[in-house]
Amino acid sequence: TDPKELAVALDPSGALVVEFRPSPFVKVGAPLPFRVPSGPEEMTPEMMTDVLRFRNYLGPRGRVASVMLKPIGEGAGAFGELCLVEMVLEGALPGAPTSFVAKFSPKDVPIHLRSFTRSQFLREAHFYNDFSIAGGGLPRPHCYLVAQSSPASSSSRFVMLIERATAEVAYTRISGCDDAGRLKLLMAAVGSFHAKWWEHGRKPPLEWVQPMGSPDSKLWRAAYGFAWKRMASLAVWDEVYAPIVGWRAAARRHVRALVAALHAPPTTLCHLDLHLDNVFFGSQYPGGVAFIDFANMALAPPMRDVAFFLGINLDVPVRRALDADLVRVYHDALLAGGVRDYPFERCWRDY
């Protein structure tokens, strides 16, 4: 079903067409027949038996015989706690997971950051939970469980059990990537994803998504002014960026127009944290690539994702050699996905 047609594809109760939902589907924050764990230490064999039975991964007499936990990194991060989970199952049904990543929202979040942290995890929870992989439109690891405790509270906790993503070749923001073939796979996937939600807005099933921000926001103008001032003060820029620093006075005069241009329609559902550490290339994924980390998702101009990725992940010579072809691949994917009101010339200008 075309997501643009979802407004008329809802029944009177607001139920979505089945094709978009994973099975079984449970709303984020709905009551669950087990206590939502607040950390890895609570993932006992007994608790995981309840979880896997609830998700139809175990037969009537099946159980989790053992659970082994291994922190990823130090086990705790600014935006969550991660651990690798290995389980031994008895009486498992086909598709039951024995190895996956558990992602928990952070504990003891300062009160002034609770709303922000909650919104970050809520966005990721909805994208993993509310769609099948095909329904969401962006290849990703399978999600075995999304659970939220105390959904009405600003101190609500989240846990997500996610398939462990693997890559045939690993790239990072530091290493960069100069493989044109793999970069084209990524651009095609992003283009298809953007086309799926093109100008959809906050209609179901995207009612949980917020717009990126208003171009009239004082925050944008203040941040823009600060960035120019900071850039001009750094000796590291030297003469390489002197022409850009020289634009500062003109940019300040036209800051409203510049910010408005960066917020101009069209909009679509964007990843907004699209970098190589969040991308896995492998033939096991549809289209040869998969993505993770959906906490920043928002409705935004589509080239935010494209320019962000090409601008921070590729060495300058690589980007200059490849970006025209890569933006063309992206635009071709938009056309294949049904977008008709966004010519390549506009796409390139926005980039």
Side-chain angles (χ1 to χ4, degrees):
T1 303
D2 186 337
K4 302 180 187 66
E5 299 173 0
L6 283 177
V8 297
L10 307 176
D11 68 22
S13 70
L16 265 176
V17 289
V18 174
E19 288 84 349
F20 281 87
R21 297 301 198 199
S23 181
F25 172 69
V26 179
K27 290 184 178 180
V28 173
L32 298 171
F34 52 83
R35 183 176 180 274
V36 177
S38 61
E41 67 280 356
E42 297 182 16
M43 296 180 66
T44 63
E46 293 75 20
M47 194 219 78
M48 291 307 300
T49 295
D50 290 339
V51 169
L52 264 61
R53 284 178 178 168
F54 172 70
R55 298 298 294 175
N56 297 330
Y57 288 123
L58 293 177
R61 297 186 180 182
R63 71 185 187 100
V64 177
S66 66
V67 177
M68 294 165 285
L69 306 173
K70 181 181 179 181
I72 296 176
E74 296 182 355
F79 288 99
E81 187 173 6
L82 301 171
C83 69
L84 177 63
V85 182
E86 304 276 355
M87 300 190 305
V88 176
L89 307 182
E90 297 176 357
L93 298 177
T98 58
S99 177
F100 53 86
V101 172
K103 181 175 184 178
F104 296 87
S105 53
K107 299 178 181 178
D108 304 320
V109 179
I111 191 167
H112 66 285
L113 292 177
R114 286 180 183 173
S115 178
F116 171 76
T117 303
R118 182 180 183 275
S119 66
Q120 292 258 302
F121 273 83
L122 192 61
R123 285 191 289 267
E124 184 160 44
H126 273 293
F127 192 71
Y128 271 124
N129 184 80
D130 291 6
F131 305 101
S132 63
I133 295 176
L138 194 64
R140 59 166 175 79
H142 186 74
C143 186
Y144 304 111
L145 175 75
V146 170
Q148 178 188 15
S149 66
S150 306
S153 170
S154 63
S155 58
S156 178
R157 297 294 307 281
F158 293 85
V159 59
M160 292 170 244
L161 307 183
I162 304 166
E163 176 188 7
R164 186 181 183 185
T166 58
E168 294 172 353
V169 180
Y171 300 96
T172 69
R173 284 171 287 185
I174 303 302
S175 70
C177 176
D178 60 1
D179 186 322
R182 286 195 165 93
L183 292 171
K184 288 178 180 180
L185 293 178
L186 186 150
M187 285 292 106
V190 174
S192 295
F193 170 59
H194 285 172
K196 188 178 189 72
W197 302 109
W198 196 262
E199 292 284 47
H200 182 77
R202 295 190 66 201
K203 301 187 297 292
L206 299 184
E207 62 273 22
W208 49 271
V209 185
Q210 297 295 326
M212 181 182 66
S214 167
D216 298 323
S217 169
K218 292 181 180 179
L219 175 63
W220 285 106
R221 297 198 296 274
Y224 198 69
F226 172 82
W228 277 101
K229 184 177 180 180
R230 179 65 173 159
M231 186 169 68
S233 71
L234 294 176
V236 69
W237 298 103
D238 202 13
E239 62 273 355
V240 175
Y241 287 95
I244 299 176
V245 175
W247 298 341
R248 181 184 173 195
R252 290 185 66 179
R253 290 196 303 271
H254 300 288
V255 63
R256 288 180 180 271
L258 289 168
V259 174
L262 292 171
H263 287 76
T267 62
T268 188
L269 182 60
C270 288
H271 186 284
L272 294 186
D273 198 15
L274 197 59
H275 57 75
L276 284 167
D277 300 270
N278 286 336
V279 176
F280 294 81
F281 293 102
S283 56
Q284 70 272 34
Y285 301 117
V289 62
F291 302 81
I292 62 170
D293 198 352
F294 308 110
N296 287 345
M297 280 192 151
L299 298 172
M303 300 313 285
R304 285 275 176 159
D305 274 345
V306 176
F308 180 83
F309 179 81
L310 297 180
I312 73 165
N313 290 275
L314 308 187
D315 290 340
V316 173
V318 174
R319 174 172 54 79
R320 289 176 175 170
L322 297 179
D323 63 356
D325 287 344
L326 294 174
V327 174
R328 178 68 72 177
V329 169
Y330 167 84
H331 188 259
D332 287 346
L334 291 182
L335 297 179
V339 174
R340 294 290 180 265
D341 54 353
Y342 196 61
F344 180 76
E345 293 73 20
R346 168 72 190 280
C347 181
W348 180 253
R349 178 182 181 276
D350 289 347
Y351 164 68

